[in-house]
Amino acid sequence: MKNNGVIIIGGGLAGLTAAIHLSKIGIDVTLVEKNDFPKHKVCGEYISNEVLPYLTWLDLDIEFLQPQAISKFIFATASGKAVSGELPLGGFGVSRYALDHFLHKKALTNKCQIIKDSVTSIDFSNDEFTVNLSEGGELKSKIVIGAFGKRSNVDQKLNREFIRKKSPWLAVKGHFKVEFPLELVGLYNFKGGYCGVSNVESNTVNICYLADYKTFKKYKNTSDYQKSILYQNPLLKTIFENATPLFEKPLTISQIAFDKKKCVENHILMIGDTAGLIHPLCGNGMAMAIHSAKIASELVSHYFSGQLDRKNLEQKYTDTWNQNFSSRLKTGRMLSKILQNKKLSEVIMQGLSVFPFLLPKIIRKTHGKTLTI
Ligand SMILES: Cc1cc2nc3c(=O)[nH]c(=O)nc-3n(C[C@H](O)[C@H](O)[C@H](O)COP(=O)(O)OP(=O)(O)OC[C@H]3O[C@@H](n4cnc5c(N)ncnc54)[C@H](O)[C@@H]3O)c2cc1C
């Protein structure tokens, strides 16, 4: 049995960011991640520049990964009608394979203890957590940060509300060789979903789409589905027909839920997708994961220095999380509903082609301000 400063469950972007932040300010960190590094993940891999100053503060030089700078967007309806423009803040494209691995190495350099195992349950009693691992281990700490992503066995164990409902969304992602403008991120609507296309490092193009299961289940495989549904968008058809896949088969995940979640449950501070998943069309989930890790780490340091007790820590985290993210998530849900309605999305596109200055305003509503330290 071990008494650790902070236990973090999950070593994705949120968990690793919190680990690097807390270890940088001298707090002991034990992080439990069930998978090996490096690993490809289903993600659009476009990150908003809002996180850059904070990553620099964490001593993470993203330029080392040779990311692709992205400054323009194109947005197309299912029929291929498109509007394009400059992104208000811009961003960069980098694979999760490279990014998560980079953060993992930094966490190790910062002397975080990283355990490869799966957390089976988390109990809280007498002001202390007990975290149980699938291989029989047990960890104890005063603070647990939940960074186990969109959907995990831990959600089931905690009986979280969203996990009891079925979700209609699945996602497919692959890396390709195809000519696609380097500085562009594209969002292409199709019946029952939308597809993001952008460059990452090494002249590789990431294509990732979110699809509704009702439309998808009629087809035997992703290839048939793409040809029958995604190809109805003429712009997507051209991209796919010229693309050479780099993965043996695409990565897929299902049961993606965008429902509201609580950001503190059973005294665990939830960060990243564990606290709430924004619709990927907003291209801001990774920035939110990093930002929420920053908020939690700062407040945890106040808890350890005696400025906050547990009750105030939880309240302050909930308030700050809501101030920063609630309205973005709401806008994401609203935009997704619009995209699912073919007629409405065509009308809105018509409007945007007449008033193109409105689009950056909508993008701003789903993004945050640059993170300052
Ligand atoms: C289709 C799609 C496209 C997207 N595109 C973009 C985009 O272009 N830009 C953007 O900013 N965001 C995008 N996002 C959102 C982004 O991927 C997420 O917001 C981000 O990955 C959240 O990071 P995280 O650390 O919270 O979760 P994750 O990266 O999922 O990490 C969670 C980790 O927890 C581990 N874990 C789970 N359970 C356990 C357990 N019991 N024990 C130990 N470890 C456990 C997992 O193995 C995993 O490594 C997209 C999302 C989807 C679904």
Side-chain angles (χ1 to χ4, degrees):
M1 224 182 282
K2 226 179 138 200
N3 201 317
N4 297 288
V6 174
I7 298 172
I8 299 173
I9 300 164
L13 275 189
L16 288 166
T17 303
I20 296 166
H21 186 134
L22 291 166
S23 51
K24 181 180 163 104
I25 57 172
I27 296 173
D28 281 352
V29 174
T30 300
L31 182 148
V32 188
E33 166 57 48
K34 64 179 180 180
N35 286 316
D36 285 317
F37 293 91
K39 191 176 184 290
H40 285 291
K41 277 192 174 170
V42 175
C43 182
E45 303 185 332
Y46 163 81
I47 313 188
S48 162
N49 275 340
E50 69 200 61
V51 298
L52 282 178
Y54 178 52
L55 295 182
T56 305
W57 182 80
L58 292 174
D59 309 310
L60 291 163
D61 180 7
I62 286 300
E63 281 310 309
F64 179 79
L65 301 175
Q66 300 188 309
Q68 176 55 53
I70 295 174
S71 56
K72 296 183 167 63
F73 69 87
I74 179 164
F75 174 49
T77 59
S79 66
K81 236 179 250 155
V83 282
S84 54
E86 297 283 328
L87 286 163
L89 191 61
F92 56 95
V94 67
S95 70
R96 292 297 298 274
Y97 187 88
L99 182 60
D100 290 30
H101 192 209
F102 185 56
L103 266 61
H104 173 238
K105 283 196 281 192
K106 178 68 184 162
L108 288 174
T109 309
N110 280 16
K111 306 240 174 332
C112 298
Q113 188 194 3
I114 301 191
I115 299 175
K116 200 217 150 189
D117 206 337
S118 178
V119 169
T120 50
S121 62
I122 310 159
D123 302 312
F124 182 80
S125 68
N126 299 325
D127 202 37
E128 190 178 52
F129 290 96
T130 305
V131 173
N132 298 299
L133 307 178
S134 73
E135 290 184 10
E138 187 185 88
L139 303 166
K140 286 192 180 276
S141 71
K142 286 278 181 197
I143 296 286
V144 166
I145 294 180
F148 35 85
K150 325 176 225 317
R151 197 176 192 91
S152 162
N153 59 321
V154 186
D155 291 309
Q156 244 140 10
K157 203 75 195 174
L158 293 169
N159 198 19
R160 298 183 82 193
E161 205 178 324
F162 82 93
I163 204 96
R164 287 181 245 135
K165 295 185 216 155
K166 278 213 150 184
S167 167
W169 296 103
L170 62 100
V172 181
K173 166 243 177 83
H175 280 173
F176 297 84
K177 283 287 167 209
V178 56
E179 288 281 325
F180 189 78
L182 290 175
E183 71 290 1
L184 188 68
V185 57
L187 188 69
Y188 303 88
N189 204 6
F190 59 83
K191 188 181 162 208
Y194 51 85
C195 178
V197 184
S198 54
N199 278 274
V200 291
E201 73 277 8
S202 312
N203 291 320
T204 297
V205 173
N206 182 38
I207 303 184
C208 182
Y209 59 84
L210 191 76
D212 118 63
Y213 183 67
K214 214 165 73 190
T215 326
F216 186 85
K217 72 176 179 197
K218 294 181 196 141
Y219 300 88
K220 282 197 198 81
N221 51 49
T222 50
S223 172
D224 287 354
Y225 174 69
Q226 281 164 200
K227 286 190 180 125
S228 307
I229 301 293
L230 275 74
Y231 281 30
Q232 285 177 26
N233 182 323
L235 301 177
L236 267 184
K237 182 170 189 262
T238 307
I239 295 170
F240 271 106
E241 282 184 340
N242 290 294
T244 310
L246 298 176
F247 292 175
E248 221 166 86
K249 53 181 188 172
L251 297 181
T252 54
I253 49 169
S254 59
Q255 293 283 340
I256 304 167
F258 299 101
D259 297 343
K260 272 193 193 153
K261 297 177 182 174
K262 287 189 186 147
C263 62
V264 179
E265 268 188 74
N266 195 27
H267 305 282
I268 305 164
L269 305 180
M270 308 296 192
I271 58 174
D273 288 354
T274 315
L277 175 61
I278 191 164
H279 260 276
L281 70 96
C282 304
N284 208 231
M286 287 193 276
M288 283 175 55
I290 292 169
H291 189 173
S292 58
K294 175 178 184 284
I295 297 169
S297 303
E298 285 166 349
L299 293 174
V300 164
S301 84
H302 295 331
Y303 169 83
F304 281 119
S305 67
Q307 286 166 269
L308 290 174
D309 61 12
R310 185 177 299 285
K311 191 166 168 249
N312 286 318
L313 166 70
E314 292 176 11
Q315 191 56 54
K316 190 111 182 115
Y317 182 63
T318 307
D319 293 346
T320 316
W321 196 94
N322 284 329
Q323 273 158 20
N324 280 284
F325 307 122
S326 283
S327 120
R328 283 191 229 182
L329 286 161
K330 218 162 131 190
T331 310
R333 279 192 282 268
M334 188 190 75
L335 290 175
S336 154
K337 280 216 174 99
I338 292 172
L339 280 186
Q340 281 165 265
N341 183 321
K342 196 167 179 245
K343 269 199 189 131
L344 187 58
S345 65
E346 295 282 344
V347 169
I348 287 188
M349 285 297 278
Q350 201 68 43
L352 287 173
S353 60
V354 182
F355 305 109
F357 61 89
L358 288 176
L359 206 48
K361 284 191 196 302
I362 297 172
I363 295 172
R364 265 193 210 102
K365 288 245 358 101
T366 62
H367 284 62
K369 295 194 182 86
T370 302
L371 294 189
T372 48
I373 313 305

